[in-house]
Amino acid sequence: PPWTFADEISRTGFGARSWYPVGPRSTVLSGLVQNHKYSDLFYSTNLRDKVNPADFKVPWWYRTEFTVRGSAPTTLLRVPGVISRGEVWVNGTKVGDVVGTYNAREFDISKVVRPGRNALAIKVAPSNPQEDFAISWIDWAQPAPDANMGIWRDVEIARTGPVSVVGSYVHTKLALPNLQSADVTAFTELRNNTATPQTVTLQGNVGDHWTAQSVRLNANETRTVSFPVQNFRNPRVWWPAQLGDQPLYRLDVTARVNGWQSDQSSNTFGIRDVQSSLNASGDRQFVINGRPLQIRGAGWAPDLLLRTQPDRLEEQFKYVRDLGLNTIRMEGKLETPEFYDLADRYGIMLLPGWECCDKWEPFSGWGGSDWTTGDYDIARGSMAAQARFLRGHASVIGFFVGSDVTSPTDVQQMYLAEFDKAGWANPVISAASLNGGPLPPLGSSGSKMEGPYDWVPPNYWYGDKVGAAFGFGGELSAGHSIPNLDSVKAMLSPAEQEQLWKEPDTPQFHTGRGEEPFNNLSLFNNALANRYGKPTSLTDYVDKAQLAGYEQVRAQFEANSRRMTAQRPATGMIYWMLNNAWPSLNWHLYGNDLAPAGAYFGAKKANEPLHVQYSYDDRSVVVVGQGPKAAQGLTVRAEVYTLDGKLVHSQEKRGLSVASLGVTDAFQLPELSNLSTTYFVRLNLSDRNGRGISENTYWLSTKHDEVDWENSDWYYTPVSAYADLQGLSTLPKATIDVKARSHSGTTTVTLKNTSKTVAPLVGLTLHKADGSQVTPVTWSDNYVSLLPGESVTLTANHGECGRPTIEATGLNVATSKTLAD
């Protein structure tokens, strides 16, 4: 309720029994969901139709009571930011304001707290991302009806002695290229909370190195103190996923005054070297531990209501590693501490930054009101707070101070000054795009953002214009990604399900916010009908969409991998997007319900540590090494089959080797005259002992997609003709024999194609006894293609769920369900 008597609300004993009890991190809508005022908001149009917007046009109060014990002279209140702004009251006294999502404030409340019970209350104002430094969902999702107003990181009470440890961090300098030693310098930011000078004794462990020194602080002085450099011999080096391990060291610092502990801090760090610059082509290139590295990443979306779910977060990091990705980009959604700890542990590099098209970036004219003098102060404070929040994490390899447009010179200078004060040691990049040009002091971003964001054919990525595989792509993909049938039915009403395949141009609430071009699936659906044939049912639509998603995502990652070492190399790509804030038909590699489908396994296949792949532009077959070591004695075999499964060509090359982060050409498939219009290419990669390493199946057409490059728009490139893959819809039904065993959270499934027809992209879904999907689940492989008589054994790790039922589906698969033994 819009209470105005703040002094009473913020006193102990205030009668709040009729208020909503919420967790410590709860936006207003999240809190109402916790209290069952609103439910099932992610189904159909409930988010729009079942929430009263008037609830969020007024301020809301948060309050709690806390107990103060002991005799620590200093009590601090730390508020990590408020969406959009908050008045902060303690024991009937207003102690200050917090304005902005990331503009963290610390208040010395020593004079207003008392021994025993105390009360804290924060009055939160409504949020408008165009006017406030809030969080916006732009075109990613339908916006949260409360605009995420409220508190979403921990509000903390800290008690210290006369001197506080504001924060500690390290700088590491690796000996390159041998990595046999590293110089590690620890820093501690101290603040004298008193009006008299203080002598502080600092003691600490930097890894297993002990260090100590004394510091004299003037009255009320804040100063960053550096410890003597510590040399680590044969350090345990932190590597990105797929290239090595992720060891973490501890930094523990204690500040003592007059022999008594005044304050302390503890955190972890990794020893690694990060460099980023523009290469000879003017493209952004990252070098990690002395190795030029291709960024294989995707864009992150937190929960639409900003709910903290640590177990769910960890499951998603497992997915990122399983997908073979090494990076996550975070545009304006800078998450909670657990996210960064997980990234450090899982070896996933992070590229955080500010977001576009709202108050954070009004410079483009695409949204957000112009900044006032006060707005500059909020942006400055936000940068200062987040630089300190992020600086100690091994996973953080840079920061985009702009997103869709280069930040103006004065804004760049302001941000860089705060990075310098915070002791930031990572690259700072002007934007994730080239829009706005190279402005000083940061210059060109070296990161293109020219699309696509909507459907383009697989051979698009092998082109030489706009978003094709060259340079560094700050965000790009072919857009729509249809989940599996269970997920579609869980998010859409029966009427919406019918519209999805019967009315291909009709806007869908679950594609994005209600504006063109992302409020419908028109381009995707048109291509699906032209290439695979007009859908005949919802099941047929979803099966064809899995084929389209698999081939499209695989092609995007494979084209970038092939050009990793090209004359103008593909130095990095952020797939748009990794996940969704809520159930969506657009932009994801896995669904909001954590169910992986065709797009997921297309990416997983493309990003194998050792991978054999086909090139859509010149029919070449290449081997790509994404792992830490070179591989020798490899054999590549290619087989070409007509639609009816007849082998018409085979080709083999032995004795191949591929370097770590390298590409090796095997051979080029010839143009064949004896093909059916739709045909298959099967590739196999094996080691010197004949053991299979990588298997990859393509469904192709003698009629190619023709890309109309000259008429490219900012979000897609049209095609003038489509590939003809409609032969897949004419395949006879394939019978797939399924045998499965389940034990201790692992299910092993053996599939055998017992029919005389090819079964392209057989997908497996696990169900519990109540019929619901088993998620999350990590498969050794899934959505596999089986030739006649062929069998394959797959493994799923999913945690305890009883004896699951395994359902096999596919475009021409006679759907079968098998209960695991």
Side-chain angles (χ1 to χ4, degrees):
W3 300 102
T4 56
F5 43 101
D7 57 341
E8 182 177 346
I9 291 174
S10 63
R11 294 184 187 276
T12 57
F14 176 79
R17 290 186 179 180
S18 63
W19 289 33
Y20 294 108
V22 298
R25 304 172 181 175
S26 297
T27 62
V28 173
L29 183 54
S30 171
L32 297 179
V33 169
Q34 291 172 48
N35 285 275
H36 310 292
K37 178 172 181 178
Y38 296 121
S39 62
D40 207 14
L41 293 184
F42 285 2
Y43 176 72
S44 187
T45 58
N46 287 354
L47 191 72
R48 179 190 66 199
D49 300 336
K50 292 193 174 182
V51 178
N52 183 3
D55 285 347
F56 315 112
K57 304 298 184 184
V58 295
W60 283 75
W61 279 96
Y62 291 69
R63 78 176 305 278
T64 191
E65 296 188 10
F66 60 97
T67 301
V68 170
R69 298 184 178 89
S71 58
T74 304
T75 303
L76 304 171
L77 171 64
R78 294 169 178 159
V79 183
V82 171
I83 307 173
S84 64
R85 62 190 65 226
E87 295 178 12
V88 183
W89 293 71
V90 177
N91 292 341
T93 300
K94 182 178 178 180
V95 298
D97 296 292
V98 180
V99 184
T101 305
Y102 299 109
N103 188 20
R105 297 288 307 279
E106 184 177 77
F107 303 100
D108 187 337
I109 58 173
S110 306
K111 294 181 180 179
V112 296
V113 296
R114 54 181 178 263
R117 297 292 289 173
N118 294 264
L120 163 66
I122 301 176
K123 181 183 179 182
V124 173
S127 176
N128 178 349
Q130 298 302 311
E131 301 293 332
D132 304 310
F133 288 90
I135 282 179
S136 169
W137 297 100
I138 319 167
D139 46 20
W140 304 12
Q142 298 294 343
D146 66 342
N148 298 118
M149 67 181 294
I151 296 168
W152 63 284
R153 282 180 179 169
D154 286 332
V155 175
E156 298 176 329
I157 301 289
R159 307 201 73 210
T160 80
V163 173
S164 297
V165 177
V166 179
S168 298
Y169 59 98
V170 303
H171 288 172
T172 63
K173 185 177 181 181
L174 263 173
L176 301 174
N178 57 36
L179 311 181
Q180 293 179 356
S181 68
D183 289 337
V184 179
T185 307
F187 298 85
T188 294
E189 193 173 357
L190 300 174
R191 183 179 60 240
N192 183 357
N193 299 314
T194 74
T196 59
Q198 300 288 337
T199 298
V200 186
T201 300
L202 287 175
Q203 299 172 331
N205 287 298
V206 185
D208 56 2
H209 294 242
W210 167 259
T211 186
Q213 64 177 304
S214 292
V215 179
R216 180 76 170 173
L217 294 178
N218 295 325
N220 302 119
E221 181 185 7
T222 298
R223 189 197 313 172
T224 298
V225 178
S226 62
F227 287 91
V229 176
Q230 306 293 321
N231 184 260
F232 285 57
R233 293 291 180 183
N234 298 313
R236 293 177 291 121
V237 176
W238 188 96
W239 284 98
Q242 286 196 347
L243 288 182
D245 296 328
Q246 294 77 45
L248 295 172
Y249 293 87
R250 287 194 62 82
L251 171 63
D252 297 304
V253 176
T254 300
R256 297 182 180 276
V257 177
N258 297 324
W260 294 90
Q261 179 174 312
S262 182
D263 203 1
Q264 63 86 35
S265 72
S266 297
N267 51 280
T268 59
F269 67 92
I271 294 178
R272 89 292 192 263
D273 183 89
V274 177
Q275 303 294 327
S276 183
S277 59
L278 303 185
N279 62 17
S281 301
D283 300 319
R284 178 66 49 185
Q285 173 74 68
F286 280 88
V287 180
I288 310 297
N289 300 333
R291 302 198 65 183
L293 176 72
Q294 184 184 72
I295 296 296
R296 296 192 313 280
W300 174 259
D303 174 68
L304 187 67
L305 308 187
L306 303 185
R307 291 170 291 195
T308 298
Q309 301 160 304
D311 291 344
R312 178 182 169 88
L313 270 183
E314 182 156 15
E315 294 298 342
Q316 292 185 81
F317 271 97
K318 291 177 183 177
Y319 273 4
V320 174
R321 281 196 67 145
D322 185 58
L323 282 161
L325 304 180
N326 58 27
T327 305
I328 291 173
R329 180 183 166 211
M330 308 161 71
E331 184 192 340
K333 320 294 190 294
L334 301 189
E335 273 291 355
T336 53
E338 299 87 354
F339 186 93
Y340 299 90
D341 293 339
L342 287 166
D344 291 346
R345 285 170 41 206
Y346 279 87
I348 304 304
M349 298 179 289
L350 301 178
L351 285 171
W354 302 128
E355 67 190 17
C356 85
C357 312
D358 58 19
K359 186 68 174 184
W360 290 100
E361 193 173 90
F363 325 116
S364 64
W366 299 327
S369 60
D370 292 339
W371 286 5
T372 65
T373 301
D375 289 334
Y376 276 85
D377 291 338
I378 297 168
R380 180 185 293 107
S382 301
M383 189 75 267
Q386 298 318 300
R388 285 166 170 78
F389 178 66
L390 300 170
R391 64 190 172 188
H393 289 280
S395 54
V396 176
I397 62 167
F399 195 96
F400 288 115
V401 294
S403 178
D404 288 26
V405 68
T406 302
S407 299
T409 293
D410 62 334
V411 174
Q412 291 185 34
Q413 291 170 334
M414 177 185 73
Y415 286 151
L416 286 171
E418 297 308 321
F419 278 121
D420 185 61
K421 293 175 188 175
W424 185 262
N426 295 312
V428 179
I429 306 166
S430 59
S433 80
L434 296 169
N435 295 324
L439 297 177
L442 290 173
S444 173
S445 69
S447 174
K448 64 182 180 179
M449 193 187 287
E450 300 176 89
Y453 296 91
D454 211 323
W455 189 85
V456 293
N459 63 350
Y460 169 97
W461 305 106
Y462 290 86
D464 60 359
K465 298 177 178 64
V466 290
F470 61 87
F472 190 100
E475 55 181 57
L476 67 175
S477 80
H480 300 293
S481 187
I482 308 302
N484 67 26
L485 188 60
D486 289 74
S487 300
V488 168
K489 290 182 176 179
M491 80 166 80
L492 302 182
S493 69
E496 290 168 324
Q497 294 172 35
E498 288 289 292
Q499 287 177 332
L500 187 61
W501 69 276
K502 286 185 176 179
E503 303 173 25
D505 299 331
T506 299
Q508 281 277 352
F509 193 65
H510 283 261
T511 58
R513 66 189 314 161
E515 301 171 2
E516 290 187 346
F518 302 128
N519 69 344
N520 64 77
L521 293 85
S522 180
L523 289 173
F524 174 84
N525 286 340
N526 188 45
L528 194 72
N530 277 280
R531 298 175 86 245
Y532 287 97
K534 188 175 180 179
T536 58
S537 67
L538 178 64
T539 299
D540 184 59
Y541 174 86
V542 171
D543 286 338
K544 288 174 177 173
Q546 302 315 310
L547 287 157
Y550 189 104
E551 67 160 345
Q552 178 54 256
V553 173
R554 177 179 59 180
Q556 183 174 352
F557 280 102
E558 285 185 340
N560 279 271
S561 294
R562 196 194 81 176
R563 292 181 174 176
M564 184 164 48
T565 57
Q567 183 175 359
R568 185 178 182 182
T571 57
M573 179 195 77
I574 301 298
Y575 182 89
W576 206 248
M577 299 180 65
L578 174 68
N579 61 341
N580 295 125
W582 80 317
S584 179
L585 302 167
N586 198 25
W587 291 338
H588 66 259
L589 292 176
Y590 56 86
N592 183 262
D593 57 1
L594 304 189
Y600 182 104
F601 292 101
K604 177 180 169 72
K605 177 63 65 176
N607 293 324
E608 295 173 312
L610 272 176
H611 179 63
V612 61
Q613 64 187 58
Y614 170 85
S615 304
Y616 280 82
D617 59 338
D618 61 6
R619 305 183 311 284
S620 64
V621 175
V622 303
V623 179
V624 177
Q626 303 279 20
K629 296 180 180 179
Q632 295 86 28
L634 303 175
T635 297
V636 172
R637 180 173 178 81
E639 296 171 338
V640 183
Y641 294 86
T642 55
L643 187 65
D644 59 6
K646 178 183 177 182
L647 177 65
V648 295
H649 177 77
S650 63
Q651 201 166 336
E652 187 175 273
K653 184 71 174 288
R654 295 177 177 271
L656 293 170
S657 62
V658 63
S660 169
L661 306 183
V663 180
T664 295
D665 292 332
F667 46 73
Q668 186 179 49
L669 290 175
E671 290 192 50
L672 301 172
S673 59
N674 54 344
L675 293 174
S676 50
T677 302
T678 304
Y679 65 98
F680 301 98
V681 169
R682 163 67 65 82
L683 305 179
N684 283 281
L685 176 68
S686 56
D687 65 15
R688 63 175 73 252
N689 297 314
R691 288 190 295 261
I693 299 172
S694 173
E695 182 179 280
N696 207 352
T697 304
Y698 297 80
W699 43 98
L700 302 169
S701 173
T702 56
K703 182 181 178 184
H704 304 300
D705 296 295
E706 296 181 14
V707 181
D708 184 6
W709 294 104
E710 301 309 315
N711 287 304
S712 296
D713 205 339
W714 66 271
Y715 67 98
Y716 84 112
T717 295
V719 297
S720 55
Y722 292 99
D724 184 357
L725 300 169
Q726 296 189 37
L728 298 178
S729 295
T730 69
L731 287 169
K733 282 291 183 183
T735 303
I736 308 297
D737 180 65
V738 181
K739 290 183 171 59
R741 297 182 64 86
S742 190
H743 179 69
S744 299
T746 299
T747 298
T748 302
V749 183
T750 298
L751 303 177
K752 184 173 183 179
N753 183 358
T754 60
S755 59
K756 297 181 179 180
T757 185
V758 179
L761 220 61
V762 180
L764 298 179
T765 307
L766 302 182
H767 293 99
K768 301 176 186 176
D770 64 3
S772 62
Q773 281 193 88
V774 176
T775 62
V777 55
T778 304
W779 288 89
S780 59
D781 198 4
N782 200 340
Y783 286 80
V784 295
S785 297
L786 297 173
L787 298 172
E790 192 171 37
S791 64
V792 64
T793 298
L794 310 172
T795 302
N797 294 304
H798 47 72
E800 289 294 346
C801 66
R803 291 172 61 198
T805 296
I806 299 89
E807 181 177 13
T809 59
L811 185 62
N812 70 323
V813 172
T815 301
S816 64
K817 295 184 179 181
T818 303
L819 183 65
D821 293 334

